[in-house]
Amino acid sequence: DIQMTQSPSTLSTSVGDRVTITCRASRSISTWLAWYQQKPGKAPGLLIYKASSLESGVPSRFSGSGSGTEFTLTISGLQPDDSATYYCQQYETYPLTFGGGTKVEI
Amino acid sequence: EAQLVESGGGLVQPGGSLRLSCADSGFTFSNYWMGWVRQAPGEGLEWVANIKEDGSVEYYADSVRGRFTISRDNAKNSLYLLMNNPRVEDTAVYYCARSSGWRDRFDCWGQGTLVTVSS
């Protein structure tokens, strides 16, 4: 199975900050990576797919990059509404696997 | 707008049986792979199972293979998860999710249904 490791697990930030979350895969997944945002008590929502493609309707302050085994999610100009937990997910192979999550606190 | 609504969660005893359902609206259900993802209390996301558009192919996480069965009824625009012999560690919120392809991201999620496995 491909293990997905996110860092940091928690991030304390301020409105307007630029935030970077890292996701590492245990082996190459090309660009078969998605990022999700989850707020407490809610379902996850897709932000980024294929490592860097922005899902329709997602604000442009969210961006993704990377390939192979190392990926990043960047939030430029953090907004209060961005307080949430963020997960990466690989879909290069089954079983599909998620990272452990990064909680962004503002 | 695409929408998914789960139902069927609740309390089940270890070794019992429970069937979760997911109904869709706002998109052509039969055109999409579908899946289940779960989240134990205070924990991260765990993929459970996926099923092909026509129901002919299924994939399972090792943790549930042989105990859980994913199925669908395209005539009823519905997805199911039959949980046989559940264990305490299967306690979680179960999300129904639409997949963009056979091995892909999940681009639409239901609100989730809580399953508690306890005696």
Side-chain angles (χ1 to χ4, degrees), chain A residues 36 38 43 49 91-92 94, chain B residues 39 50 102-103 105-106 110:
Chain A
Y36 301 88
Q38 185 180 34
Y49 62 95
Y91 50 98
E92 198 279 333
Y94 282 104
Chain B
Q39 186 169 37
N50 271 17
W102 80 280
R103 192 185 66 208
R105 68 222 187 241
F106 295 106

Side-chain angles (χ1 to χ4, degrees), chain A residues 1-4 25-34 68 71 88-99, chain B residues 33 47-50 58-62 65 99 101-106:
Chain A
D1 298 2
I2 297 177
Q3 311 302 319
M4 305 301 292
S26 59
R27 68 167 175 84
S28 178
I29 58 170
S30 183
T31 55
W32 303 117
L33 185 102
F71 303 86
C88 61
Q89 176 225 334
Q90 68 79 20
Y91 50 98
E92 198 279 333
T93 189
Y94 282 104
L96 307 178
T97 47
F98 291 86
Chain B
W33 279 73
W47 170 75
V48 173
N50 271 17
E58 302 159 24
Y59 292 94
Y60 295 94
D62 286 347
R65 185 178 293 112
S99 178
W102 80 280
R103 192 185 66 208
D104 218 317
R105 68 222 187 241
F106 295 106

Side-chain angles (χ1 to χ4, degrees), chain B residues 62-99:
Chain B
D62 286 347
S63 58
V64 306
R65 185 178 293 112
R67 299 186 299 120
F68 291 8
T69 302
I70 188 172
S71 62
R72 63 193 297 163
D73 185 338
N74 287 343
K76 295 182 178 179
N77 290 350
S78 292
L79 178 73
Y80 306 101
L81 185 69
L82 177 62
M83 303 172 62
N84 284 329
N85 191 24
R87 305 166 180 165
V88 171
E89 56 265 35
D90 294 320
T91 294
V93 173
Y94 285 74
Y95 294 102
C96 160
R98 186 180 76 179
S99 178

Side-chain angles (χ1 to χ4, degrees), chain A:
Chain A
D1 298 2
I2 297 177
Q3 311 302 319
M4 305 301 292
T5 304
Q6 284 183 238
S7 61
S9 55
T10 306
L11 203 52
S12 295
T13 63
S14 300
V15 172
D17 281 358
R18 178 185 174 94
V19 166
T20 298
I21 298 169
T22 298
C23 178
R24 289 187 173 88
S26 59
R27 68 167 175 84
S28 178
I29 58 170
S30 183
T31 55
W32 303 117
L33 185 102
W35 288 97
Y36 301 88
Q37 178 193 65
Q38 185 180 34
K39 297 181 180 179
K42 301 294 186 183
L46 179 65
L47 296 173
I48 301 282
Y49 62 95
K50 210 164 185 301
S52 60
S53 296
L54 193 67
E55 176 71 351
S56 176
V58 173
S60 58
R61 63 180 180 274
F62 292 92
S63 63
S65 65
S67 66
T69 62
E70 187 148 340
F71 303 86
T72 58
L73 172 70
T74 300
I75 311 172
S76 302
L78 202 68
Q79 298 298 305
D81 189 53
D82 300 334
S83 181
T85 300
Y86 295 84
Y87 294 93
C88 61
Q89 176 225 334
Q90 68 79 20
Y91 50 98
E92 198 279 333
T93 189
Y94 282 104
L96 307 178
T97 47
F98 291 86
T102 296
K103 186 175 184 179
V104 174
E105 299 174 333
I106 302 176

Side-chain angles (χ1 to χ4, degrees), chain B residues 6-49:
Chain B
E6 300 94 337
S7 60
L11 178 64
V12 59
Q13 291 189 338
S17 181
L18 192 69
R19 190 178 83 156
L20 307 183
S21 299
C22 170
D24 87 298
S25 62
F27 66 98
T28 306
F29 181 75
S30 58
N31 286 353
Y32 290 87
W33 279 73
M34 297 293 297
W36 291 95
V37 177
R38 69 184 181 183
Q39 186 169 37
E43 301 296 324
L45 302 170
E46 180 188 15
W47 170 75
V48 173

